[in-house]
Amino acid sequence: MGKNNKARRAAKAKKRANDRRQSGQGGSGWSGSDNRSQQNNGPMFSEQELAEYYLALAVLDGQSAKTPTKNEALDELDKLRPSAVTAEAERMMATLIGKNWESGWQPAELLRRGRSEASSAATGRLIALAIASDNAGRRATTLDSQWMTQIDRLDLPAVDGHGGWVSRWITTEGLAWSKAVRGIIDAIRVASSIPHLETLIPPPGSSRTGSAWPKARRSEKSAGADPVLEKIRNLLAKAESSEFEAEAAAFTGKAQQLMTRHAIDAATVERGTSDPDEAPIMIRVMIDPPYVDAKAVLLHVVAEANRCRAVTLSGLDMVSVVGFDSDLAAVEMLFTSLLVQAQSAMTDAARRAPAGTRVRSQAYRSSFLAGFANRIGDRLDEINAHVFNEAEAEVGSRFQLVLRDRSATVEDAFNDWFGDLTRKGVRGGYDHVGRASGQVAADQAQLGFGDLSDARNASDIDLTNAIDLTGIDPQSAIRR
């Protein structure tokens, strides 16, 4: 919410109070004197109206010269009964949470933003309580299945569906009243400064039919019912848990092979044309700091290698990815696994290096991730070319027509949804050794073609074709 909107919200709160006074509907007195005397002698506002007004002004933080400063608003809030302030805070936050759903935000995204943007962990927990309270007040029949699944995975705090949760938060956190009020204001600030996003999951209370939300339709297979995707997931889990770099590399390479072959097999059975009932959809992938830009580059190259398109949402630490459902599911898994492997390689390098050396610097790590991402793109292209050649020898080239058609459909949807975009560089500085080291780590994370039939039909993968690059020195990589 912009500064002008916040000012208008505060003005509306004051206007509502004046309207009530003029119509004879004023609330209870707040100065402790006789109500009839207040009605006769001047304006009278209910404590709830005053709480709304000063909470809004505190969030506005005195941006207008005509409004009190935040400290003045806090002083006025201290004069009100705590129960009036907490009750109004609950009402304001419930309204804002509902508006956030209407603006395209999902529970996991809002919870993450609350925790990252709040000034304290306690405020982050208050936002989690607000989300939990909102969900407790809704019937399951008004919620999309994807929405319910996401809520279940968030491990939100327990609530009883009744009011008083802000007061209970204050008690649980052991906060003094003045600090609690600041936390409440901070939570309202975070919830009221949410930009609009594309709606990808039908929000509570909306129509839940797929035709009403063309960008959100996901199949049960993408949620884990597809046996091929499950096999890919298992391969990547093995890569992440392996203590041997060459073995992890083989598992990761095998996963990409299987992803590409899965798409080819699907194209082969489509009789040379795309399935008319399937269309591109959009997902959002959250990326945790630090080095969000460099990590986003990795997601971009993984998406493009698997017939998807991605765009970074500036300032939100998220990337929107457009593609067909099964491709998107594979992209999510491969990106997550590669990120784990890259971070593991950086951590290992820092553990072995003396304190204060360049491998611990921000420039080194950002460059490491950028080099890793660029080299991964090359390796994914190599693997795809190998699988394409094998498949063409087996079934002919007709599958390529279908894949090209699907890629063109994704491109058209991407352009329709996002229009003209701008490119930007990766922030974080540049370190040539870090970049070279990242490229070496990418080679280790994506090695060997192996036997695809083994990957499709067995859980044990033949690692004999894996190449061990663990002995490569970053300095020699630079010289090459």
Side-chain angles (χ1 to χ4, degrees), residues 29-111:
W30 59 277
S31 65
S33 58
D34 180 77
N35 287 348
R36 288 172 300 175
S37 175
Q38 289 190 29
Q39 290 174 342
N40 293 331
N41 295 333
M44 182 182 66
F45 302 98
S46 71
E47 284 191 303
Q48 181 177 347
E49 291 164 341
L50 289 168
E52 178 188 12
Y53 180 59
Y54 286 114
L55 285 171
L57 288 179
V59 171
L60 186 60
D61 199 11
Q63 295 296 334
S64 171
K66 297 181 180 180
T67 62
T69 64
K70 181 176 181 178
N71 286 336
E72 290 173 327
L74 288 170
D75 289 341
E76 295 297 331
L77 288 169
D78 282 340
K79 299 176 183 178
L80 305 178
R81 288 181 297 115
S83 59
V85 177
T86 56
E88 179 57 25
E90 288 183 14
R91 188 199 65 80
M92 292 177 72
M93 291 189 67
T95 300
L96 290 169
I97 295 296
K99 290 183 179 297
N100 290 335
W101 303 153
E102 294 173 3
S103 295
W105 284 75
Q106 301 171 23
E109 295 168 343
L110 184 59
L111 178 62

Side-chain angles (χ1 to χ4, degrees), residues 171-214:
T171 301
T172 302
E173 297 290 339
L175 300 175
W177 176 242
S178 60
K179 190 170 183 179
V181 170
R182 285 169 171 79
I184 290 169
I185 292 168
D186 192 31
I188 295 173
R189 174 191 62 80
V190 172
S192 64
S193 60
I194 301 293
H196 177 79
L197 293 176
E198 293 284 350
T199 300
L200 303 185
I201 298 179
S206 63
S207 169
R208 291 179 286 126
T209 61
S211 59
W213 306 95

